[in-house]
Every structure is written in structure tokens, then in C-alpha cells.
């Protein structure tokens, strides 16, 4: 069984970006670096894309090549020491997919999250029973223990909206997510009531794109857009799909999704009207 690859963290991502920037400033290609240091092109690519945590001697060799001195050198080595810190990680999380554990890591350190979902209630706002029903439906071959791990991880994630410095969550859903009865009538009613309650938190904004809005940018699929407290950490887009999960950090990709979210926000019902619609749907469920 292949080894589980390094799960990216904010610090590992920042380290990789800084090493990539330093190489660019030095006007060196990866082939140039390989010729001068012996660090292979493939290894350098994996380091610069945050796929692996580099060894200290490798980073030292790169810093020597790029002519980096203190205090910048000390800052980069500090990033290296912190690169695999994952205080959120639980033992069973190691059995979850790489992309999901990476997402948990980024979400736990994000300042703000703009999330659009077309078919279900966003994970940070789900009840445990709704989450269980969603996961069972989406992963019909999963064992009960696997489902339990996914549910527990999802419930733990929700701590970000209630912590001392809570995540700013702006959640937009298609009306279809309100009207799809997941887990049966009681589960869905409880979910809609919790959704409205959580929407009253000062750091949570909830909107619904109504059916009458017609076609909209969210019809392309769900996505999450995260931004971080430190300006050195660029925004990040996460897209989950059957074809594989994607993390996008190119400025053009981030801007495209930010613009789509702005259009969705403009087309959606106000937060007050969205909450009213959710409560209305709850009363209609048998």
C-alpha cells in the first residue's frame, strides 16, 4: 500500500511558495537547481507544490544557492519546523482521504469561508443525523465504521464557527438543498431548524438562491473559497467532485470563483427571507 503523502498545511504551503518565489527571483529553472545542488527536478517540483515537507538539509542547500541570509533565512527555517503542525488531527483522520484532511487543515486556519452548495446543506451547518444520511447516500459502499469517522470529522470541523476567533462563514445554497428531504422528515426538519438558528450567529451569513432566479453561476457546481489572516497566504478554492477533489490557488481561478460567488449573493434572497423560506419548507415536510 503506498505511503500517505504529506497533508498540506498553511505553513507548508507558505514555505513552498516562498521557495518557489526565491527560485524565480534568482532566475533559475528547476533544471538549473538540479545541476547545481543535485536536488532532482521531480523532488523540487514536489517541494514547491507543497506535496512533501522537505528535509532541513535540502532547504539549507536551496537557501545557500539563492543567497538567502538572516533574518529571512531564519524565518524560512522556522516555517520548515512548523510545516507539519496539525493540531486538529485525530488518529482516525489519517484514514480519511488526503484531499479531505488537507481541506480540514486549511479550513481550520482560514479567516473566512465563502461556500456555495447546490444539493445539500453546507457541512459546517449540518446536524449529526443529516450529516450521517448525506454521507451514507454519497458513499453507499462505505462501512459503518467509515461512516462514523466521516461524521465525527464533520462534527469536529464545526468548532471553527464557535471558537474564540470564529471563522466568518458566508453560505449560499440552491433552493433544491432545502427541499431535498435527506434522512427522512424528522432529520430534515431538525436540520432546517438548526440552519436557521446558526444563521443568527454574527459570523454566519446564510442565503438561498430561489428556483425563480432561473439559471445562475452555481449551476456549474459547488465550491468553497477560503481566505486567511496572513496576507502571505493567498486565497484558496476547493472543489469536490466524483472525478477528484481540486485545490486551486492561481489568482485567475480565485477571482473567477469570487466573481461567481458575488453574482450568487446578488441573485439570492436576503438572509432574512432565506431564513423564512427555510422555516416554511420545514413546516411542509411530513
Amino acid at each position: 500500500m503506498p505511503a500517505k503523502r504529506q497533508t498540506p498545511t498553511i505553513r507548508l504551503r507558505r514555505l513552498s511558495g516562498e521557495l518557489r518565489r526565491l527560485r524565480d527571483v534568482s532566475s533559475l529553472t528547476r533544471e538549473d537547481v538540479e545541476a547545481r545542488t543535485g536536488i532532482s527536478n521531480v523532488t523540487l517540483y514536489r517541494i514547491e507544490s507543497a506535496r512533501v515537507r522537505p528535509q532541513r538539509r535540502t532547504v539549507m542547500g536551496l537557501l545557500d544557492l539563492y543567497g538567502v541570509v538572516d533574518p529571512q533565512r531564519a524565518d524560512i527555517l522556522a516555517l520548515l519546523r512548523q510545516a507539519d503542525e496539525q493540531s486538529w488531527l485525530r488518529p482516525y483522520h489519517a484514514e480519511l482521504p488526503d484531499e479531505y484532511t488537507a481541506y480540514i487543515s486549511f479550513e481550520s486556519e482560514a479567516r473566512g469561508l465563502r461556500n456555495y452548495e447546490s444539493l445539500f446543506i453546507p457541512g459546517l451547518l449540518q446536524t449529526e443525523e443529516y450529516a450521517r444520511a448525506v454521507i451514507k447516500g454519497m458513499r453507499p459502499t462505505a462501512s459503518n465504521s467509515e461512516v462514523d469517522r466521516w461524521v465525527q470529522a464533520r462534527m469536529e470541523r464545526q468548532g471553527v464557527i464557535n471558537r474564540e476567533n470564529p471563522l466568518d462563514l458566508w453560505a449560499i445554497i440552491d433552493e433544491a438543498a432545502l427541499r431535498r428531504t435527506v434522512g427522512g422528515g424528522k432529520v430534515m426538519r431538525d436540520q432546517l431548524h438548526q440552519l436557521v438558528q446558526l444563521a443568527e450567529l454574527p459570523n454566519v451569513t446564510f442565503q438561498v438562491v430561489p428556483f425563480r432566479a432561473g439559471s445562475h453561476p452555481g449551476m456549474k457546481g459547488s465550491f468553497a473559497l477560503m481566505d486567511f489572516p496572513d496576507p502571505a497566504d493567498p486565497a484558496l478554492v476547493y472543489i469536490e467532485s466524483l472525478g477528484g477533489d481540486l485545490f486551486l490557488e492561481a489568482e485567475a481561478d480565485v477571482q473567477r470563483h469570487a466573481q461567481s460567488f458575488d453574482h450568487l449573493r446578488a441573485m439570492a434572497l436576503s438572509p432574512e427571507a432565506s431564513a423564512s423560506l427555510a422555516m416554511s419548507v420545514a413546516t411542509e415536510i411530513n
Side-chain angles (χ1 to χ4, degrees):
M1 184 175 181
K4 192 177 179 72
R5 71 173 176 85
Q6 172 74 42
T7 299
T9 64
I10 293 297
R11 285 161 292 278
L12 181 60
R13 184 170 172 239
R14 190 184 304 167
L15 173 65
S16 67
E18 185 62 14
L19 292 175
R20 187 169 61 245
R21 186 191 67 81
L22 288 169
R23 180 174 61 78
D24 289 340
V25 169
S26 300
S27 300
L28 295 172
T29 65
R30 293 195 183 102
E31 290 76 12
D32 293 333
V33 173
E34 181 174 12
R36 298 190 190 190
T37 66
I39 301 170
S40 74
N41 190 326
V42 172
T43 297
L44 188 58
Y45 168 76
R46 289 169 61 79
I47 291 171
E48 292 184 348
S49 57
R51 283 167 167 75
V52 296
R53 179 187 183 277
Q55 296 183 347
R56 191 174 191 276
R57 66 173 179 270
T58 301
V59 174
M60 294 285 283
L62 292 173
L63 297 180
D64 289 342
L65 177 62
Y66 302 150
V68 180
V69 298
D70 287 335
Q72 185 182 18
R73 187 184 188 95
D75 290 342
I76 292 173
L77 292 175
L79 271 181
L80 175 63
R81 289 193 299 272
Q82 301 163 1
D84 56 0
E85 290 182 1
Q86 295 173 329
S87 59
W88 55 268
L89 193 61
R90 302 290 185 270
Y92 62 85
H93 283 191
E95 300 178 36
L96 298 173
D98 293 330
E99 293 82 359
Y100 190 55
T101 54
Y103 178 81
I104 294 173
S105 174
F106 290 134
E107 182 183 72
S108 70
E109 299 197 46
R111 174 185 61 191
L113 173 64
R114 286 166 282 177
N115 186 195
Y116 168 73
E117 296 292 348
S118 58
L119 296 176
F120 50 79
I121 306 303
L124 292 180
L125 302 175
Q126 291 178 5
T127 66
E128 182 171 341
E129 291 308 311
Y130 180 92
R132 187 174 301 279
V134 167
I135 291 167
K136 282 185 175 180
M138 294 180 65
R139 301 176 179 275
T141 61
S143 67
N144 288 337
S145 62
E146 289 172 331
V147 171
D148 287 343
R149 285 194 293 272
W150 278 88
V151 171
Q152 190 168 357
R154 186 161 299 181
M155 294 301 100
E156 288 181 4
R157 281 175 50 205
Q158 295 179 358
V160 297
I161 63 174
N162 293 305
R163 64 193 182 193
E164 184 176 351
N165 295 306
L167 176 79
D168 287 325
L169 172 64
W170 196 310
I172 301 178
I173 65 172
D174 190 278
E175 185 175 343
L178 288 182
R179 296 191 178 278
R180 182 177 297 277
T181 304
V182 174
K186 183 180 186 306
V187 169
M188 195 64 198
R189 284 193 300 272
D190 290 346
Q191 174 60 77
L192 293 178
H193 283 111
Q194 173 166 295
L195 176 62
V196 173
Q197 290 174 355
L198 291 175
E200 295 177 356
L201 293 173
N203 57 304
V204 175
T205 302
F206 164 66
Q207 290 183 274
V208 178
V209 180
F211 286 149
R212 67 172 183 268
S215 61
H216 58 78
M219 295 174 74
K220 295 178 181 178
S222 302
F223 63 91
L225 177 57
M226 292 171 278
D227 58 84
F228 304 93
D230 195 315
D233 302 319
L236 185 68
V237 175
Y238 176 71
I239 300 173
E240 182 179 11
S241 73
L242 283 175
D245 298 351
L246 295 174
F247 287 100
L248 306 175
E249 57 184 334
E251 184 175 353
D253 291 325
V254 171
Q255 287 300 317
R256 185 171 65 255
H257 285 84
Q259 289 172 359
S260 292
F261 195 87
D262 286 343
H263 282 295
L264 289 166
R265 182 171 56 186
M267 298 177 73
L269 300 174
S270 69
E272 294 76 17
S274 296
S276 294
L277 177 59
M279 293 305 297
S280 176
V281 171
T283 63
E284 298 170 8
I285 298 174
N286 295 322

